[in-house]
PDB file of all heavy atoms in Angstrom:
ATOM      1  N   GLU Q  22     -12.628  28.777   2.199  1.00 94.00           N
ATOM      2  CA  GLU Q  22     -13.871  29.387   1.724  1.00 94.00           C
ATOM      3  C   GLU Q  22     -14.516  28.526   0.639  1.00 94.00           C
ATOM      4  O   GLU Q  22     -15.741  28.353   0.617  1.00 94.00           O
ATOM      5  CB  GLU Q  22     -13.582  30.795   1.200  1.00 94.00           C
ATOM      6  CG  GLU Q  22     -13.286  31.794   2.305  1.00 94.00           C
ATOM      7  CD  GLU Q  22     -12.738  33.119   1.790  1.00 94.00           C
ATOM      8  OE1 GLU Q  22     -12.229  33.152   0.637  1.00 94.00           O
ATOM      9  OE2 GLU Q  22     -12.801  34.122   2.526  1.00 94.00           O
ATOM     10  N   LEU Q  23     -13.702  27.973  -0.254  1.00 95.00           N
ATOM     11  CA  LEU Q  23     -14.260  27.083  -1.264  1.00 95.00           C
ATOM     12  C   LEU Q  23     -14.795  25.810  -0.623  1.00 95.00           C
ATOM     13  O   LEU Q  23     -15.868  25.316  -1.008  1.00 95.00           O
ATOM     14  CB  LEU Q  23     -13.196  26.734  -2.305  1.00 95.00           C
ATOM     15  CG  LEU Q  23     -13.626  25.731  -3.394  1.00 95.00           C
ATOM     16  CD1 LEU Q  23     -14.850  26.223  -4.142  1.00 95.00           C
ATOM     17  CD2 LEU Q  23     -12.481  25.453  -4.362  1.00 95.00           C
ATOM     18  N   ALA Q  24     -14.067  25.282   0.345  1.00 91.00           N
ATOM     19  CA  ALA Q  24     -14.511  24.069   1.031  1.00 91.00           C
ATOM     20  C   ALA Q  24     -15.865  24.287   1.692  1.00 91.00           C
ATOM     21  O   ALA Q  24     -16.761  23.438   1.619  1.00 91.00           O
ATOM     22  CB  ALA Q  24     -13.475  23.645   2.058  1.00 91.00           C
ATOM     23  N   THR Q  25     -16.043  25.442   2.323  1.00 92.00           N
ATOM     24  CA  THR Q  25     -17.316  25.753   2.975  1.00 92.00           C
ATOM     25  C   THR Q  25     -18.445  25.854   1.954  1.00 92.00           C
ATOM     26  O   THR Q  25     -19.541  25.306   2.149  1.00 92.00           O
ATOM     27  CB  THR Q  25     -17.200  27.069   3.760  1.00 92.00           C
ATOM     28  OG1 THR Q  25     -16.174  26.940   4.755  1.00 92.00           O
ATOM     29  CG2 THR Q  25     -18.518  27.421   4.439  1.00 92.00           C
ATOM     30  N   ALA Q  26     -18.165  26.533   0.839  1.00 94.00           N
ATOM     31  CA  ALA Q  26     -19.194  26.714  -0.188  1.00 94.00           C
ATOM     32  C   ALA Q  26     -19.570  25.398  -0.859  1.00 94.00           C
ATOM     33  O   ALA Q  26     -20.726  25.190  -1.242  1.00 94.00           O
ATOM     34  CB  ALA Q  26     -18.706  27.714  -1.240  1.00 94.00           C
ATOM     35  N   ALA Q  27     -18.592  24.489  -0.992  1.00 92.00           N
ATOM     36  CA  ALA Q  27     -18.837  23.223  -1.684  1.00 92.00           C
ATOM     37  C   ALA Q  27     -19.164  22.078  -0.728  1.00 92.00           C
ATOM     38  O   ALA Q  27     -19.310  20.930  -1.162  1.00 92.00           O
ATOM     39  CB  ALA Q  27     -17.612  22.855  -2.528  1.00 92.00           C
ATOM     40  N   VAL Q  28     -19.263  22.386   0.556  1.00 88.00           N
ATOM     41  CA  VAL Q  28     -19.558  21.390   1.588  1.00 88.00           C
ATOM     42  C   VAL Q  28     -18.519  20.262   1.532  1.00 88.00           C
ATOM     43  O   VAL Q  28     -18.829  19.081   1.386  1.00 88.00           O
ATOM     44  CB  VAL Q  28     -20.987  20.809   1.446  1.00 88.00           C
ATOM     45  CG1 VAL Q  28     -21.396  20.085   2.735  1.00 88.00           C
ATOM     46  CG2 VAL Q  28     -21.990  21.884   1.113  1.00 88.00           C
ATOM     47  N   MET Q  29     -17.263  20.644   1.606  1.00 86.00           N
ATOM     48  CA  MET Q  29     -16.148  19.710   1.608  1.00 86.00           C
ATOM     49  C   MET Q  29     -15.176  20.139   2.698  1.00 86.00           C
ATOM     50  O   MET Q  29     -15.433  21.110   3.412  1.00 86.00           O
ATOM     51  CB  MET Q  29     -15.450  19.698   0.229  1.00 86.00           C
ATOM     52  CG  MET Q  29     -16.337  19.230  -0.909  1.00 86.00           C
ATOM     53  SD  MET Q  29     -15.623  19.533  -2.552  1.00 86.00           S
ATOM     54  CE  MET Q  29     -14.175  18.473  -2.477  1.00 86.00           C
ATOM     55  N   THR Q  30     -14.075  19.430   2.831  1.00 83.00           N
ATOM     56  CA  THR Q  30     -13.060  19.828   3.806  1.00 83.00           C
ATOM     57  C   THR Q  30     -11.930  20.564   3.103  1.00 83.00           C
ATOM     58  O   THR Q  30     -11.645  20.336   1.922  1.00 83.00           O
ATOM     59  CB  THR Q  30     -12.464  18.608   4.528  1.00 83.00           C
ATOM     60  OG1 THR Q  30     -11.696  17.840   3.605  1.00 83.00           O
ATOM     61  CG2 THR Q  30     -13.561  17.731   5.130  1.00 83.00           C
ATOM     62  N   ARG Q  31     -11.280  21.463   3.835  1.00 87.00           N
ATOM     63  CA  ARG Q  31     -10.163  22.205   3.245  1.00 87.00           C
ATOM     64  C   ARG Q  31      -9.049  21.264   2.811  1.00 87.00           C
ATOM     65  O   ARG Q  31      -8.430  21.443   1.756  1.00 87.00           O
ATOM     66  CB  ARG Q  31      -9.617  23.224   4.267  1.00 87.00           C
ATOM     67  CG  ARG Q  31      -8.577  24.166   3.667  1.00 87.00           C
ATOM     68  CD  ARG Q  31      -7.575  24.638   4.682  1.00 87.00           C
ATOM     69  NE  ARG Q  31      -6.832  23.539   5.264  1.00 87.00           N
ATOM     70  CZ  ARG Q  31      -5.829  22.912   4.644  1.00 87.00           C
ATOM     71  NH1 ARG Q  31      -5.468  23.259   3.425  1.00 87.00           N
ATOM     72  NH2 ARG Q  31      -5.205  21.907   5.237  1.00 87.00           N
ATOM     73  N   SER Q  32      -8.790  20.240   3.639  1.00 82.00           N
ATOM     74  CA  SER Q  32      -7.707  19.317   3.304  1.00 82.00           C
ATOM     75  C   SER Q  32      -8.006  18.569   2.006  1.00 82.00           C
ATOM     76  O   SER Q  32      -7.100  18.296   1.211  1.00 82.00           O
ATOM     77  CB  SER Q  32      -7.474  18.331   4.452  1.00 82.00           C
ATOM     78  OG  SER Q  32      -8.646  17.601   4.748  1.00 82.00           O
ATOM     79  N   HIS Q  33      -9.286  18.243   1.746  1.00 82.00           N
ATOM     80  CA  HIS Q  33      -9.638  17.549   0.502  1.00 82.00           C
ATOM     81  C   HIS Q  33      -9.411  18.467  -0.698  1.00 82.00           C
ATOM     82  O   HIS Q  33      -8.903  18.026  -1.738  1.00 82.00           O
ATOM     83  CB  HIS Q  33     -11.087  17.086   0.560  1.00 82.00           C
ATOM     84  CG  HIS Q  33     -11.444  16.071  -0.480  1.00 82.00           C
ATOM     85  ND1 HIS Q  33     -10.540  15.156  -0.977  1.00 82.00           N
ATOM     86  CD2 HIS Q  33     -12.613  15.830  -1.139  1.00 82.00           C
ATOM     87  CE1 HIS Q  33     -11.124  14.385  -1.880  1.00 82.00           C
ATOM     88  NE2 HIS Q  33     -12.376  14.787  -2.006  1.00 82.00           N
ATOM     89  N   ILE Q  34      -9.774  19.742  -0.554  1.00 88.00           N
ATOM     90  CA  ILE Q  34      -9.501  20.704  -1.615  1.00 88.00           C
ATOM     91  C   ILE Q  34      -8.002  20.765  -1.896  1.00 88.00           C
ATOM     92  O   ILE Q  34      -7.557  20.752  -3.055  1.00 88.00           O
ATOM     93  CB  ILE Q  34     -10.015  22.107  -1.229  1.00 88.00           C
ATOM     94  CG1 ILE Q  34     -11.545  22.110  -1.040  1.00 88.00           C
ATOM     95  CG2 ILE Q  34      -9.594  23.148  -2.281  1.00 88.00           C
ATOM     96  CD1 ILE Q  34     -12.327  21.912  -2.304  1.00 88.00           C
ATOM     97  N   ALA Q  35      -7.202  20.809  -0.833  1.00 87.00           N
ATOM     98  CA  ALA Q  35      -5.742  20.881  -0.993  1.00 87.00           C
ATOM     99  C   ALA Q  35      -5.215  19.654  -1.714  1.00 87.00           C
ATOM    100  O   ALA Q  35      -4.335  19.752  -2.581  1.00 87.00           O
ATOM    101  CB  ALA Q  35      -5.078  21.042   0.378  1.00 87.00           C
ATOM    102  N   HIS Q  36      -5.728  18.468  -1.367  1.00 80.00           N
ATOM    103  CA  HIS Q  36      -5.287  17.229  -2.008  1.00 80.00           C
ATOM    104  C   HIS Q  36      -5.640  17.227  -3.500  1.00 80.00           C
ATOM    105  O   HIS Q  36      -4.839  16.785  -4.330  1.00 80.00           O
ATOM    106  CB  HIS Q  36      -5.927  16.021  -1.335  1.00 80.00           C
ATOM    107  CG  HIS Q  36      -5.332  15.669  -0.008  1.00 80.00           C
ATOM    108  ND1 HIS Q  36      -3.977  15.612   0.209  1.00 80.00           N
ATOM    109  CD2 HIS Q  36      -5.921  15.341   1.184  1.00 80.00           C
ATOM    110  CE1 HIS Q  36      -3.749  15.270   1.463  1.00 80.00           C
ATOM    111  NE2 HIS Q  36      -4.904  15.104   2.069  1.00 80.00           N
ATOM    112  N   ILE Q  37      -6.829  17.710  -3.848  1.00 86.00           N
ATOM    113  CA  ILE Q  37      -7.238  17.738  -5.250  1.00 86.00           C
ATOM    114  C   ILE Q  37      -6.353  18.700  -6.029  1.00 86.00           C
ATOM    115  O   ILE Q  37      -5.865  18.387  -7.121  1.00 86.00           O
ATOM    116  CB  ILE Q  37      -8.725  18.141  -5.379  1.00 86.00           C
ATOM    117  CG1 ILE Q  37      -9.631  17.084  -4.727  1.00 86.00           C
ATOM    118  CG2 ILE Q  37      -9.104  18.314  -6.851  1.00 86.00           C
ATOM    119  CD1 ILE Q  37     -11.077  17.523  -4.590  1.00 86.00           C
ATOM    120  N   GLU Q  38      -6.117  19.878  -5.474  1.00 88.00           N
ATOM    121  CA  GLU Q  38      -5.304  20.871  -6.175  1.00 88.00           C
ATOM    122  C   GLU Q  38      -3.868  20.391  -6.367  1.00 88.00           C
ATOM    123  O   GLU Q  38      -3.217  20.732  -7.364  1.00 88.00           O
ATOM    124  CB  GLU Q  38      -5.312  22.190  -5.404  1.00 88.00           C
ATOM    125  CG  GLU Q  38      -6.647  22.913  -5.457  1.00 88.00           C
ATOM    126  CD  GLU Q  38      -6.617  24.287  -4.828  1.00 88.00           C
ATOM    127  OE1 GLU Q  38      -5.586  24.640  -4.204  1.00 88.00           O
ATOM    128  OE2 GLU Q  38      -7.624  25.006  -4.955  1.00 88.00           O
ATOM    129  N   ALA Q  39      -3.379  19.610  -5.417  1.00 83.00           N
ATOM    130  CA  ALA Q  39      -2.006  19.102  -5.506  1.00 83.00           C
ATOM    131  C   ALA Q  39      -1.899  17.847  -6.371  1.00 83.00           C
ATOM    132  O   ALA Q  39      -0.797  17.346  -6.596  1.00 83.00           O
ATOM    133  CB  ALA Q  39      -1.476  18.809  -4.107  1.00 83.00           C
TER     134      ALA Q  39
END
Side-chain angles (χ1 to χ4, degrees):
E22 287 169 340
L23 177 57
T25 300
V28 196
M29 297 168 64
T30 68
R31 188 209 61 77
S32 58
H33 195 31
I34 298 291
H36 284 314
I37 296 170
E38 289 186 352

